[in-house]
């Protein structure tokens, strides 16, 4: 008898965390239990998740920015099942697949005309590895420059360009000469480029860790400096791409035109891993420089038909439902509400971002009692306070958010772009309630920090 997947999942719905403790990642399972994120998820629809007890959650994390079109979008499902019904052959390998040709055509309609050649990947980090190889091979130079706090993925090349020590610990040595500079510091970039050995500069238009925004002047200046020094500008739009920041690509805010543009995450529609690296034909041909080198960089699943079709369906939904405009509108609404809360609550230091990529940074309060709580929590660990905000949002208000990066006081919001005004209101109301409680020391929010610190010590 064929596998009865529906009943299998229903029968074993509550076993998920135990299975992970036994077979997958016991440390992550422990973290999930500690912070109360150990639900058994059974359904996802648009911006909502449902656990096995039938509770509905508002998803402000969107699978780390994968679900821009929302979960289980009916158009995605229809297109993918229609396609599976055609018996279309995929991965013949010695072929030129129609599906990747059409997706490349569609992507090119949406970016500056200089980015006229597309390389497909199965993940974001593979896109960055591709960009590193393209830049080094095309320029004949060794070094890549990145930014403090940068996150470009966790394979070896991408990790060499990671701006956080916590991710790098234990994995040295890295790519030689990969040097970080401060975001928005053109002088620092110029100093590195002046050395004459830089192949490329990789930068996120808005950094995923901490939600630090690259200024328009910096991005435009970086493009000019790279051009003057014969280096390539690589824009990592793995997270900011496809509507997240209120433009289809975040590059549109400044008008900067990179030499290499990397995207992934949301292009998948949340169904099939996919990514794309777009570059100029002259850069591409310096690498794929002869018939012998026609597959000098490639991977087996790179142009899988189901992934290409997921990409096509996702672009279609983004257009049809005008989700990019919606991202800008809902983002404005969220930021407006958050700024009102910032004016009332001293723990909120900054609200930043673009579209539906928003960071809320907390800061040391002025009033004495709160400052005591803040200092105590931060003495125990730099990671605790934001986590103590994320936890009650989940437990008491059924809202899924995340702490943005290690050792930061930033809570990040990257909901599906399909959220509506009622969802924004639901978040703001819940956040206000959590802030009210956080502004009483001692109180339950601060007790959470102590509890977390004890758990961390036990570990
Ligand atoms: C900006 C950025 N680049 C690259 C990556 C790596 O993507 P992946 O996890 O698909 O390898 C991520 C993932 O979070 C990202 O946010």
């Amino acid at each position: 008898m064929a596998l009865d997947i529906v009943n299998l999942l229903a029968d074993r719905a509550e076993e998920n965390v135990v299975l992970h403790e036994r077979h997958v990642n016991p440390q992550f399972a422990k973290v999930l239990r500690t912070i109360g994120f150990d639900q058994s998820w059974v359904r996802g629809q648009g911006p909502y998740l449902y656990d096995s007890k039938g509770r509905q959650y508002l998803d402000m994390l969107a699978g780390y920015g994968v679900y821009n079109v929302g979960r289980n979008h009916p158009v995605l499902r229809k297109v993918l099942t229609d396609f599976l019904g055609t018996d279309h052959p995929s991965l013949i390998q010695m072929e030129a697949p129609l599906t990747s040709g059409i997706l490349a055509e569609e992507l090119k309609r949406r970016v500056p005309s200089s980015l006229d050649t597309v390389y497909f990947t199965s993940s974001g980090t593979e896109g960055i590895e591709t960009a590193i190889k393209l830049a080094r091979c095309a320029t004949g130079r060794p070094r890549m420059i990145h930014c403090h706090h940068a996150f470009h993925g966790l394979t070896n090349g991408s990790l060499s360009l990671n701006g956080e020590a916590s991710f790098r610990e234990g994995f040295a040595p890295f790519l030689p000469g990969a040097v970080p500079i401060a975001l928005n510091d053109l002088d620092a970039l110029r100093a590195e480029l002046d050395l004459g050995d830089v192949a490329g500069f990789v930068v996120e238009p808005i950094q995923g860790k901490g939600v630090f925004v690259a200024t328009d002047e910096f991005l435009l200046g970086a493009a000019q400096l790279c051009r003057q020094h014969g280096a390539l500008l690589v824009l990592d739009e793995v997270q900011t791409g496809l509507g997240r920041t209120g433009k289809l690509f975040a590059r549109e805010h400044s008008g900067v035109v990179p030499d290499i543009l990397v995207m992934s995450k949301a292009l998948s529609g949340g169904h099939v891993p996919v990514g794309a690296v777009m570059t100029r034909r002259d850069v591409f041909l310096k690498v794929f420089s002869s018939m012998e080198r026609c597959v000098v960089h490639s991977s087996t699943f790179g142009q899988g038909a189901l992934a290409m079709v997921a990409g096509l369906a996702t672009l279609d939904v983004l257009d049809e439902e005008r989700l990019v405009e919606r991202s800008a509108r809902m983002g404005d609404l969220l930021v407006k509400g958050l700024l009102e809360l910032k004016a009332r609550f001293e723990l909120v230091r900054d609200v930043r971002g673009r579209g539906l990529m928003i960071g809320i940074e907390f800061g040391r309060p002025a009033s004495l009692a709160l400052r005591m709580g803040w200092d105590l929590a931060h003495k125990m660990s730099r990671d605790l306070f934001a986590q103590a905000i994320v936890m009650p949002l989940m437990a008491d208000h059924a809202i899924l958010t995340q702490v943005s990066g290690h050792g930061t006081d930033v809570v990040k919001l990257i909901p599906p772009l399909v959220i509506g005004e009622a969802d924004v209101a639901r978040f703001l109301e819940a956040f206000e309630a959590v802030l009210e409680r956080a502004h009483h020391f001692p109180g339950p929010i601060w007790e959470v920090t102590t509890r977390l610190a004890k758990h961390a010590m036990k570990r």
Side-chain angles (χ1 to χ4, degrees), residues 353-380:
R354 273 171 162 160
L356 284 172
M357 185 163 179
I358 298 167
I360 306 161
E361 181 166 359
F362 299 93
R364 191 167 184 253
S367 51
L368 199 60
L370 284 183
R371 205 173 342 136
M372 251 172 65
W374 178 268
D375 290 346
L376 200 65
H378 284 75
K379 217 160 125 188
M380 289 187 283

Side-chain angles (χ1 to χ4, degrees), residues 182-225:
L183 182 72
N184 295 329
D185 186 345
L186 280 176
D187 290 336
L189 179 60
R190 187 183 293 108
E192 290 298 331
L193 290 168
D194 276 345
L195 298 177
D197 59 352
V198 174
F201 170 52
V202 185
V203 61
E204 300 153 86
I206 301 179
Q207 293 188 316
K209 302 289 176 207
V211 196
F212 297 108
V213 182
T215 63
D216 294 350
E217 300 72 41
F218 177 71
L219 291 174
L220 290 167
Q224 192 181 12
L225 282 176

Side-chain angles (χ1 to χ4, degrees), residues 325-355:
E325 291 90 328
R326 190 183 183 91
S327 167
R329 208 154 34 84
M330 290 302 131
D332 284 349
L333 212 56
L334 253 176
V335 167
K336 183 168 166 277
L338 287 169
L339 288 174
E340 280 166 19
L341 293 176
K342 176 175 175 272
R344 284 176 43 209
F345 293 102
E346 59 173 320
L347 278 163
V348 182
R349 173 191 282 174
D350 191 22
V351 174
R352 57 177 177 259
R354 273 171 162 160

Side-chain angles (χ1 to χ4, degrees), residues 123-125 151-153 204 236 238-239 265:
S123 69
T125 198
F151 187 93
H152 301 291
E204 300 153 86
D236 179 348
V238 168
Q239 187 158 138
K265 291 193 190 275

